[in-house]
Amino acid sequence: MTTAVPDSRIPAAVHRRRWVILGVLMLSLLIVVLDNSILNVAIKTISTPEPTGLGATQSELEWAINAYTLVFAGLLFSAGLLGDRLGRKKVLLGGLVVFGIGSALAALSGSPAELIAFRAVMGLGAAFVMPATLAVLMNVFERDEQPKAIGIWAGGVGLAIAIGPITGGLLLDHFWWGSVFLINVPIVVLALGLMLWLVPDSRDPNPGRIDPVGVLLSVVGLVLLVYGIIRGGQLADFTDITVLAPSLGGLAVLAAFVVFEKRSDHPSIDISFFRNKVFSAAIAVIGLVFFALMGVTFFSVFYTQTVRGYTPLQTGLLMLPLAVAQLVFAPRARLVVDRFGNSAVCTAGMVLIAATLAAFAVLDADTPIWILEVVFFLMGVGMAHVMTPLSVVVMQALPREKAGSASALSNTFRQVGGALGIAVLGSVLSTAYRHGIEGELPAGAPHAAAESIEATLALAARLGERGQALVTPAHDAFLHAMHVTALCGAGVALLGAVAMAVFLPGRPKGGQEGKEETELVAADH
């Protein structure tokens, strides 16, 4: 029988169609995740000169990705609060419309600068979509069904990771690069129609006030920090004043943000939640997972397409094991947690992620491709057994009325982690590559030619037969840079494993279940 329990705050009609509503929410989530996974396959095409691409440099590619994630991360708190105040359905619909408009404009970009700007518009829309999907989910499922629903929701991320690269590859094989953004528009239209028809509205009866100063400080701080990191990779010199000034300035602004939030009577982030070690560890590791994953995805596309010679579609198919593993294991991760506890499962998951990242350090130009497939599959298994349990810990840590804020907090760390992963690991890749290739470039070669393998190969193409001698050194320099970057990512993942082992609770016993969540709910009041 599908009726709500007697003391439920969920209407019986909504309870009956909760799984259909979950499907609609996953469609909305799909376009947000799909966009980044499609773009990962398209970055090589966008980096090629016109008319095939936009001739974007590696730093411009990093900004095309990070313009989206930084706006997304910076506005998530306010978006969550607006959803709690105005109604999650209204905010979700508005976010989808903005995302669709931004996608159409991005598809028609005439330069890297335009693409970066329109990606920021897409990030604005996505910021209102992502927290609203989880907030609605928490308000249509009872607490005992929430872990299962969140597991399926997390599995939807795996589905998007699978569909994105394959769809992107198909589009790039038959259409121009902008089609990878234009594909979002019909999905947005379908999601809007289903949302209006099926999804109920909900809001927090006691919503918090918007915190414009906090939002401004967080966005400015993150942009300055990421700019400094990317600039350092571009110059291969992290002591340059144009690197140090924005990086240190960003850290100072972020410190001011924390101080302001502590003293504010209506903060974007309730700092008191971070006093709980379990909550803090869960949030931090969510950031670390995406730090490592986004950085690896960034360089793996150049490995498969530039070094190994695979097409965008073939690259998308190569990433299928990563997505399938998440799709299969994410909904079942809760069963493993029930048996072994959060600490054991998440620690093992992070160790597995670290091992798969380290495995990239042994990949070469002629490594059998099935080894990469195994690495991707195991990485997906590890992620499924980390992200799903941690999402449940975070989402159940706050009262249902604060679901928008809880989702925003989780996704902010996810996006900030991803943005920093692309910036930091992208800069490590760029710096290591420059050191490896500079001695091979002909005298008088432009500084930009050593920034990335694509830039070096573009120079080789312009030099004609003389440039052919650059191809093998470029591949060798990239592989060395990839190995260094992969080991850095593995080190970050191991830090996450230590945090999981130390701070997450073991297998719950009897009345101990939910103890940490209860403490957090009490802290909220």
Side-chain angles (χ1 to χ4, degrees), residues 83-157:
D84 291 343
R85 177 181 288 273
L86 303 176
R88 284 79 181 235
K89 181 176 180 177
K90 296 183 186 71
V91 165
L92 189 49
L93 292 170
L96 284 170
V97 169
V98 172
F99 187 88
I101 292 171
S103 297
L105 292 172
L108 302 174
S109 299
S111 68
E114 287 184 11
L115 177 61
I116 290 167
F118 295 138
R119 287 277 297 161
V121 174
M122 294 171 68
L124 173 63
F128 288 87
V129 173
M130 181 71 92
T133 60
L134 259 183
V136 171
L137 181 155
M138 299 298 284
N139 277 273
V140 298
F141 284 92
E142 295 295 344
R143 191 174 182 85
D144 61 339
E145 283 189 323
Q146 285 171 3
K148 181 180 180 182
I150 291 175
I152 294 171
W153 181 89
V157 174

Side-chain angles (χ1 to χ4, degrees), residues 150-170:
I150 291 175
I152 294 171
W153 181 89
V157 174
L159 181 64
I161 292 173
I163 294 174
I166 296 169
T167 304
L170 283 168

Side-chain angles (χ1 to χ4, degrees), residues 18 91 101 126 134 144 179 241 291 296 351 378 388 391 396 414 416 418 473 489 525:
R18 64 196 184 282
V91 165
I101 292 171
L134 259 183
D144 61 339
S179 60
I241 187 62
F291 179 99
V296 168
V351 169
L378 293 176
T388 304
S391 296
Q396 291 194 339
R414 187 183 309 218
V416 169
H525 297 288

Side-chain angles (χ1 to χ4, degrees), residues 203-217:
R203 67 182 71 193
D204 184 350
N206 299 299
R209 286 189 289 154
I210 303 301
D211 175 25
V213 176
V215 170
L216 182 63
L217 288 173

